[in-house]
Amino acid sequence: MYCRMRGPAGENGSAAADLAAIGWTAAPDILEAPLGFFMVGGGFDPKLIVDRLGKPWMFATPGDLIKRFPCGTIQQQSMDAMLRMIEKNNIKAADVEKVEVGGNLSNYRTLFQHHPTTGLQAKFSMEFAMAILLLDRKATLATFTDTVVQRAEVQDMIARVHYAVDPDFNKLELQGASLQAILVEQSGLKIYMKDGGVISGRTEPAKGSPENPMTYEEVADKFRGNAEFAKWPKEKAESVIDQVKSLERPPDMSRLTAALGA
């Protein structure tokens, strides 16, 4: 299960540990008290949660999703597929007449920015995701900015990408599948070339998903790009990468937290 709120949850846990370390206290039964957190959902079953910590660790089973591209889960596998098609066939944007992407209704409704003009809108646009890969063959944090989205050639390519609901890829919701399954339901892509050729493809599990995990070096490369966007010194980023590689061996996290600080 992929949780979009894991970052804030980790931040809150770290803050709670720091507060406890300096003497802050709270009610010991804040979870299970008659007016506690568990009652928000109407009740709880202790047997389902006691002695479960680390059995399993989510990062090990079923595994986490590390997004290859800095946009929604929905676009990830389609962007992977587009990049594979581009690289395999050496496709150049100038030779593309149009692109068609077919997916399910739920994802189509979420990616409602069909004519984005800002970086934020682009994060909710399948059209932009396809267009920028055809033009730049990459999509990083620096890609999802107003300046990039408003480039004339980007806007022209966006207009040539058509994203629609395709019955062949709109079946899981009708079958009562989970939201997570619907998010990553397979999609189809077609690239129509100006010379009359048509290149077709289907999505596979996204790079970075539990079914298709990134290597450590691939994750490190993504971190390098993020650090560069944040204007971190290269030496600082490389220090973090080296320390994380041996994360389970140091006696404490003081060197890593210092490296991650300002």
Side-chain angles (χ1 to χ4, degrees):
M1 182 177 186
Y2 309 141
C3 177
R4 300 181 183 185
M5 297 303 292
R6 191 171 297 119
E11 179 184 14
N12 291 341
S14 179
D18 287 341
L19 291 171
I22 61 174
W24 283 48
T25 61
D29 60 349
I30 190 171
L31 298 178
E32 68 272 22
L35 296 178
F37 182 77
F38 286 146
M39 298 310 295
V40 172
F44 70 103
D45 183 350
K47 295 190 296 295
L48 298 178
I49 57 176
V50 174
D51 296 327
R52 288 288 304 279
L53 182 63
K55 301 175 183 177
W57 293 113
M58 188 281 301
F59 284 105
T61 303
D64 198 15
L65 168 67
I66 300 176
K67 292 181 180 178
R68 183 181 186 184
F69 308 104
C71 54
T73 300
I74 297 171
Q75 293 110 306
Q76 299 296 312
Q77 58 186 17
S78 295
M79 294 175 76
D80 275 344
M82 173 58 77
L83 201 53
R84 286 195 302 271
M85 293 164 71
I86 291 171
E87 293 174 345
K88 179 179 179 180
N89 299 280
N90 194 26
I91 298 171
K92 295 179 174 55
D95 299 329
V96 174
E97 180 67 32
K98 68 175 181 178
V99 175
E100 292 181 351
V101 182
N104 65 43
L105 178 60
S106 177
N107 291 346
Y108 178 81
R109 285 173 172 167
T110 301
L111 300 177
F112 59 91
Q113 295 288 355
H114 304 298
H115 307 283
T117 58
T118 69
L120 179 59
Q121 291 174 353
K123 289 179 179 290
F124 298 89
S125 174
M126 181 67 80
E127 289 84 355
F128 175 80
M130 301 294 97
I132 200 64
L133 291 178
L134 283 164
L135 289 162
D136 294 354
R137 296 195 176 196
K138 64 179 182 178
T140 67
L141 284 173
T143 299
F144 290 85
T145 60
D146 296 358
T147 300
V148 171
V149 178
Q150 293 166 11
R151 281 165 36 193
E153 68 270 29
V154 173
Q155 287 294 312
D156 175 69
M157 185 59 72
I158 287 173
R160 285 188 268 157
V161 179
H162 304 281
Y163 177 41
V165 178
D166 186 328
D168 287 340
F169 306 103
N170 187 43
K171 298 176 179 178
L172 294 184
E173 186 171 11
L174 301 176
Q175 297 168 2
S178 67
L179 174 60
Q180 184 57 51
I182 293 168
L183 283 174
V184 296
E185 185 171 9
Q186 194 174 49
S187 298
L189 295 85
K190 288 185 179 180
I191 303 174
Y192 294 82
M193 307 301 293
K194 291 181 178 178
D195 64 5
V198 180
I199 301 170
S200 300
R202 291 192 174 204
T203 60
E204 300 173 2
K207 186 68 174 177
S209 66
E211 299 85 1
N212 186 15
M214 288 183 177
T215 65
Y216 185 84
E217 192 56 35
E218 287 171 335
V219 176
D221 278 340
K222 177 176 179 178
F223 177 76
R224 289 185 181 98
N226 293 350
E228 182 180 3
F229 183 77
K231 297 182 169 54
W232 274 23
K234 183 177 179 181
E235 297 76 14
K236 179 181 177 73
E238 292 302 324
S239 172
V240 171
I241 291 169
D242 288 342
Q243 292 186 61
V244 171
K245 188 178 294 184
S246 58
L247 191 60
E248 296 181 0
R249 292 197 293 272
D252 60 63
M253 294 292 102
S254 57
R255 288 186 63 241
L256 179 57
T257 54
L260 290 167

